[in-house]
Amino acid sequence: MESQTNANFQNIIEIRNLTTTYGTRIIHDRISFNIRRKEIFALLGGSGSGKSTLLNTMIFLKQPTSGEVRILGQNIWNLNPKDTLQCKLNIGVLFQFGALFSSLNVLENLMIPLREWTNFRPSDIESLAYIWLTRVGLKAEVAKLYPNELSGGMVKRVGLARALALSPKILFLDEPTSGLDPKSARHFDALIMELRDLLGISVVMVTHDMESVKGAVDRMIILKNQKIFFEGSVRELAQQTQSLDLFLYQI
Ligand SMILES: Nc1ncnc2c1ncn2[C@@H]1O[C@H](COP(=O)(O)OP(=O)(O)OP(=O)(O)O)[C@@H](O)[C@H]1O
């Protein structure tokens, strides 16, 4: 029997024989891999290798042609509407450009999911929004600013706070450090690791940032020619290649 939230599952996500297509074009050809609880997992590969498409199959944006995406034991593309909604509450997504509403200030942006999905009192929603703001390393004064008044790093942090607002079990990040200077990018990596430890979440990210891969990622897959070219840790990859740096930068 499928369990909805079996806390003992070692694999929080299981991809089984997954094939995705656009029209007649095959992007992934029967790929399988697992993502474990509390790990930071990267989807890597060259431009056009299908990283975003794969991420999209896990966040309800792209239906696979065949195969399964199992999250917490459930085949997510085979759920009834009520279970789909419940499953969506287990995931938080930070899109590449933050996806903040430009006409709303930071506090209002953060309160959106809490207003929509909880019955909390307005004063509690506001307090929670402030707590998340602090958790992602932003000061309370930032609450009143509008997105166009924020730096790139701050936009990412607000987007992160909003993705975490409903306490999801899995956080999906699309190119989290793109557009950030190297110092901000490493701070963002450190924040992701800290939040993973603090909240016990699993993190799945699409990235081109090889410093993130080397510094923050536990395991990864590398996509190539519709298949998984490599699956494992940075250390395992290093054992298979003469120059890890050269290899990673050539992906
Ligand atoms: N909506 C779509 N319709 C048709 N083809 C698409 C669509 N989205 C992506 N593709 C194609 O599917 C392939 C994989 O795209 P995808 O965006 O998943 O790759 P990616 O690895 O994330 O690329 P990048 O690193 O450049 O962002 C590409 O050839 C792309 O042109």
Side-chain angles (χ1 to χ4, degrees):
M1 198 181 101
E2 288 196 339
S3 155
Q4 221 173 335
T5 51
N6 184 342
N8 295 319
F9 271 47
Q10 195 208 354
N11 296 325
I12 196 145
I13 300 180
E14 297 167 291
I15 305 293
R16 292 279 165 271
N17 284 318
L18 190 83
T19 295
T20 63
T21 50
Y22 291 109
T24 54
R25 187 155 165 238
I26 297 172
I27 308 300
H28 305 100
D29 182 15
R30 290 165 293 151
I31 63 169
S32 300
F33 63 97
N34 296 323
I35 300 175
R36 299 173 192 156
R37 263 174 199 284
K38 299 185 189 177
E39 73 180 351
I40 300 181
F41 191 93
L43 309 177
L44 305 181
S47 183
S49 61
K51 302 178 294 293
S52 300
T53 303
L54 183 54
L55 184 88
N56 287 345
T57 65
M58 301 182 218
I59 59 173
F60 296 91
L61 291 180
K62 167 74 180 163
Q63 181 151 19
T65 305
S66 61
E68 294 180 356
V69 176
R70 302 183 79 84
I71 295 186
L72 290 154
Q74 292 182 303
N75 179 358
I76 68 163
W77 288 102
N78 206 12
L79 297 174
N80 64 38
K82 185 167 161 275
D83 289 342
T84 299
L85 199 63
Q86 194 57 44
C87 186
K88 283 182 179 174
L89 292 175
N90 284 326
I91 68 176
V93 186
L94 170 61
F95 291 101
Q96 189 170 353
F97 300 106
L100 302 180
F101 291 101
S102 56
S103 59
L104 302 179
N105 69 25
V106 166
L107 189 70
E108 289 161 345
N109 264 285
L110 289 184
M111 292 195 302
I112 290 174
L114 293 161
R115 279 188 178 143
E116 195 169 344
W117 296 106
T118 73
N119 299 321
F120 300 156
R121 287 180 309 187
S123 59
D124 289 341
I125 286 179
E126 188 166 325
S127 305
L128 261 177
Y130 273 105
I131 288 173
W132 281 113
L133 202 60
T134 320
R135 279 212 176 139
V136 298
L138 293 171
K139 296 204 169 82
E141 301 93 90
V142 173
K144 299 288 177 233
L145 299 180
Y146 283 80
N148 67 0
E149 298 173 299
L150 306 175
S151 70
M154 289 160 92
V155 168
K156 299 264 187 191
R157 281 170 193 255
V158 175
L160 184 60
R162 196 178 60 184
L164 291 170
L166 296 172
S167 301
K169 295 187 174 69
I170 311 171
L171 176 66
F172 291 94
L173 308 172
D174 188 9
E175 299 279 359
T177 58
S178 75
L180 301 184
D181 61 75
K183 199 171 154 202
S184 307
R186 300 297 69 83
H187 283 155
F188 200 81
D189 288 342
L191 175 64
I192 296 298
M193 289 190 280
E194 193 184 305
L195 288 170
R196 182 270 307 269
D197 294 342
L198 182 72
L199 307 170
I201 53 175
S202 311
V203 180
V204 183
M205 66 162 93
V206 168
T207 185
H208 283 108
D209 186 337
M210 294 310 154
E211 294 306 317
S212 291
V213 174
K214 289 197 286 179
V217 166
D218 297 311
R219 289 193 319 122
M220 66 186 117
I221 56 165
I222 301 175
L223 295 168
K224 195 173 177 181
N225 298 334
Q226 307 165 342
K227 298 282 192 187
I228 293 175
F229 172 68
F230 173 82
E231 177 180 359
S233 63
V234 174
R235 185 189 293 187
E236 285 162 343
L237 185 60
Q239 286 164 355
Q240 293 182 26
T241 177
Q242 290 202 320
S243 167
L244 181 63
D245 278 331
L246 191 61
F247 183 86
L248 287 174
Y249 284 94
Q250 280 173 344
I251 289 174

